Amino acid sequence: MNTQEEVGEFTQIFNALMSLMRKFIFKVLCAGPIPNHVSFIMDGNRRFAKKHNLTGLDAGHRAGFISVTYVLQYCKEIGIPYVTLYAFGVDNFKRQPEEVECVMDLMLEKVEYTINQAVSGNLKGVRVYFVGDLNSLNERLRVAAQRLMEVTEENKDLMVVVCVAYSTSHEIVHAVRESCVRKCDGTGDDPVVLQVSDVEECMYTSVVPDPDLVIRTGGGDRLSNFMTWQTSRSLLHSTATLWPELGLWHLVWAILKFQRMHDYLQKKKKLD
């Protein structure tokens, strides 16, 4: 057996052991309450690139995409049915045009790759849904996002909501406008009366329940205009870890924190 074959065999054994370890950890973790919906504010890609002297405007974001694949796999194995990813905020369009274009190109590349994975059957059980002001995206990315939603719409194990060109401010304005259109029948001069439920039904993120747990990487303690309406009863877990560095133990620790706070959170929901 040559060196390359030995390395390959060792890698297979290591991966098998890691898989067994994860199954054991997740089995223990599932003895307690598991969040129904986890949202991720993925901060720190650019700082990661700077920290590791990576070149290229999209270097940190490419590293961040690798973390996305691992985190989603962990969530699926744990049995979390809904995950939301804050992929690109409306304010991010204010960055350098070259960086924005680079990120959009990378996003298109990864969406098209994911479409191929879904069509070939390698994306079992994962449904992808894009929300936000999708009309502000270029046509190729918008069409690819729509295609990915179509090819994964029958999958039921894990629903991944990707927030692109998103902010809560824009979402609320959109929801109020849409609510008024729905409530106005064009007859009479009576003012339109909106209920909270009317607005909530028209939110971009109405396709999923409100998050139970919000995990923010990069050391920030702000929601950064992300699902501020929906997270009023959510637990916010902030970690200094940069998004591309987020690993299994960071996720486990966040869920353990959620389990410790679960009774308190449930009590607050009942009071509200």
Side-chain angles (χ1 to χ4, degrees), residues 150-167:
E150 290 171 357
V151 298
T152 62
E153 64 181 350
E154 299 300 324
N155 295 340
K156 305 296 183 184
D157 294 344
L158 173 64
M159 184 170 183
V160 181
V161 176
V162 183
C163 296
V164 183
Y166 173 91
S167 76

Side-chain angles (χ1 to χ4, degrees), residues 42-50 56-62 87-89 91-108 138 141:
M42 304 181 292
D43 194 15
N45 289 338
R46 293 190 296 175
R47 280 178 283 164
F48 177 84
K50 184 176 181 180
L57 291 173
D58 64 350
H61 301 291
R62 285 188 177 277
F88 197 85
D91 288 342
N92 293 145
F93 282 112
K94 298 175 183 177
R95 293 179 177 177
Q96 294 283 342
E98 297 82 4
E99 182 182 357
V100 173
E101 183 179 2
C102 203
V103 172
M104 292 295 108
D105 289 344
L106 175 62
M107 196 173 298
L108 174 62
N138 65 62
L141 179 53

Side-chain angles (χ1 to χ4, degrees), residues 14 26 54 60-61 88 121 145 151 164 169-170 211 215 219 224 226 229 240 244 246 256 258 260:
F14 177 78
F26 295 160
L54 302 179
H61 301 291
F88 197 85
V151 298
V164 183
S169 303
H170 284 71
I215 299 176
S224 296
F226 175 64
W229 179 298
L246 193 78
L256 286 173
F258 169 80
R260 292 196 304 272

Side-chain angles (χ1 to χ4, degrees), residues 103-216:
V103 172
M104 292 295 108
D105 289 344
L106 175 62
M107 196 173 298
L108 174 62
E109 174 191 322
K110 297 307 180 182
V111 170
E112 290 179 338
Y113 169 79
T114 308
I115 291 172
N116 293 332
Q117 290 291 99
V119 171
S120 62
N122 294 323
L123 203 67
K124 296 177 181 177
V126 179
R127 180 183 180 187
V128 183
Y129 199 96
F130 290 86
V131 301
D133 182 13
L134 302 186
N135 289 327
S136 66
L137 304 178
N138 65 62
E139 184 178 2
R140 286 189 63 193
L141 179 53
R142 189 167 61 251
V143 170
Q146 183 61 43
R147 174 61 177 157
L148 181 53
M149 288 192 281
E150 290 171 357
V151 298
T152 62
E153 64 181 350
E154 299 300 324
N155 295 340
K156 305 296 183 184
D157 294 344
L158 173 64
M159 184 170 183
V160 181
V161 176
V162 183
C163 296
V164 183
Y166 173 91
S167 76
T168 301
S169 303
H170 284 71
E171 180 179 33
I172 291 174
V173 171
H174 161 82
V176 171
R177 286 175 177 167
E178 184 65 24
S179 301
C180 290
V181 171
R182 292 187 183 185
K183 297 280 282 190
C184 182
D185 58 8
T187 61
D189 297 323
D190 294 334
V192 175
V193 179
L194 294 181
Q195 305 294 332
V196 171
S197 59
D198 296 324
V199 177
E200 289 181 334
E201 288 173 4
C202 296
M203 301 284 269
Y204 291 136
T205 54
S206 62
V207 293
V208 290
D210 291 345
D212 300 301
L213 173 63
V214 180
I215 299 176
R216 172 159 190 160

